[in-house]
Amino acid sequence: MTTPPDETIIDALDRADASLLARRLDARTCPPELLGRMVRHPAPRIRHLGLTLLTERADIPGIPDSGGGGGDAAGAGHLALVARLLPDSPGASPEESLLLAGIHARLVARKPGHRLPDWRAAALPARARIAWLRAEILGDPTVLRTEPAGEPLYRAVRESAAAGAHRPDRLVAELVDTGDPVLGTEALRLAREGLHAGLLAPAFVRGRLVRLLDSPDPDVVTDVLRELAEPWAAVAPWTHNR
């Protein structure tokens, strides 16, 4: 439930008093219109506080922001409201950009069709670009087909988790299909995560790991063989050629 802001809050916002706002505001009850003003405020400290509160709000499932409701509908409405409050830009500073990338990464996993701002056209530092690339991959793993191999891509994938992907099965499949040994290692890691979290079926994981046996990296092949020797992989008899 949200509560309307009192005059003290409005006055603190007008004066850009970030300290008072930080003491008085709570992500769960802060009115959406106030959050919207904060994330677009001319003062960097207020924008940063607004984005911090919005990050916390994105992690609170199903706040009935308008009109109540429950279940999946309330959760979808909550995520839609968080998305509407976001600015159209990837951030005016590296710190803001990292916060925004984190919020968008949360949304792409839970809100189908969520679109990112045009972060590639912005002059962002490497750390922020990696965070945005991670968000893009979590929402649309087909990006891996065109993204050039290199440390930014490797770091973006290393910082990803199976539970953070909109479709963890597609993410693992696309990583395997790259044929890149580094991304193959990450595919194995994410497959394990998805398997043990109940996000991926054993038969699917086994099928993708068998594909990794063609990796040119002997370490990847060795790790895959160890994993395929685990009891979970005995979902069906191996054929003679395997």
Side-chain angles (χ1 to χ4, degrees):
M1 178 179 180
T2 58
T3 55
D6 58 30
E7 292 185 6
T8 303
I9 296 297
I10 298 301
D11 180 63
L13 186 62
D14 292 339
R15 292 184 290 104
D17 188 343
S19 297
L20 188 148
L21 292 172
R23 293 195 303 270
R24 295 287 299 273
L25 295 180
D26 177 81
R28 183 179 292 274
T29 58
C30 185
E33 63 273 14
L34 182 59
L35 276 175
R37 288 185 59 187
M38 291 177 69
V39 299
R40 292 168 176 80
H41 200 279
R45 291 183 303 168
I46 302 298
R47 291 199 303 271
H48 191 278
L49 176 59
L51 290 172
T52 301
L53 291 171
L54 197 56
T55 300
E56 296 175 12
R57 195 181 189 91
D59 287 335
I60 301 172
I63 298 178
D65 290 298
S66 57
D72 293 340
H78 166 60
L79 294 176
L81 182 134
V82 171
R84 287 200 305 272
L85 293 177
L86 289 170
D88 295 330
S89 75
S93 70
E95 294 77 17
E96 285 180 31
S97 193
L98 285 171
L99 283 171
L100 282 166
I103 297 172
H104 280 282
R106 288 164 168 79
L107 291 176
V108 297
R110 295 148 54 194
K111 185 176 180 291
H114 178 72
R115 298 183 63 181
L116 304 181
D118 187 10
W119 64 271
R120 292 179 181 272
L124 300 174
R127 185 69 190 88
R129 297 188 72 81
I130 289 168
W132 281 106
L133 179 56
R134 170 180 170 268
E136 192 168 28
I137 291 170
L138 289 173
D140 181 15
T142 61
V143 171
L144 293 163
R145 301 176 189 178
T146 56
E147 191 67 25
E151 192 57 27
L153 176 60
Y154 297 155
R155 287 182 59 187
V157 175
R158 286 191 195 109
E159 294 172 14
S160 300
H166 176 57
R167 287 281 304 275
D169 56 340
R170 288 182 56 197
L171 176 56
V172 170
E174 291 289 346
L175 287 169
V176 170
D177 289 346
T178 64
D180 185 294
V182 177
L183 298 181
T185 298
E186 296 306 314
L188 175 57
R189 174 182 66 82
L190 291 167
R192 282 173 177 151
E193 286 183 13
L195 178 70
H196 295 297
L199 300 173
L200 298 176
F204 169 83
V205 173
R206 190 173 85 155
R208 294 300 167 176
L209 295 192
V210 167
R211 295 276 302 277
L212 283 176
L213 293 175
D214 296 327
S215 172
D217 188 334
D219 291 335
V220 172
V221 174
T222 300
D223 289 342
V224 169
L225 287 171
R226 286 198 184 101
E227 190 65 27
L228 290 174
E230 294 294 322
W232 70 262
V235 293
W238 291 102
T239 59
H240 180 69
N241 63 325
R242 287 301 181 187

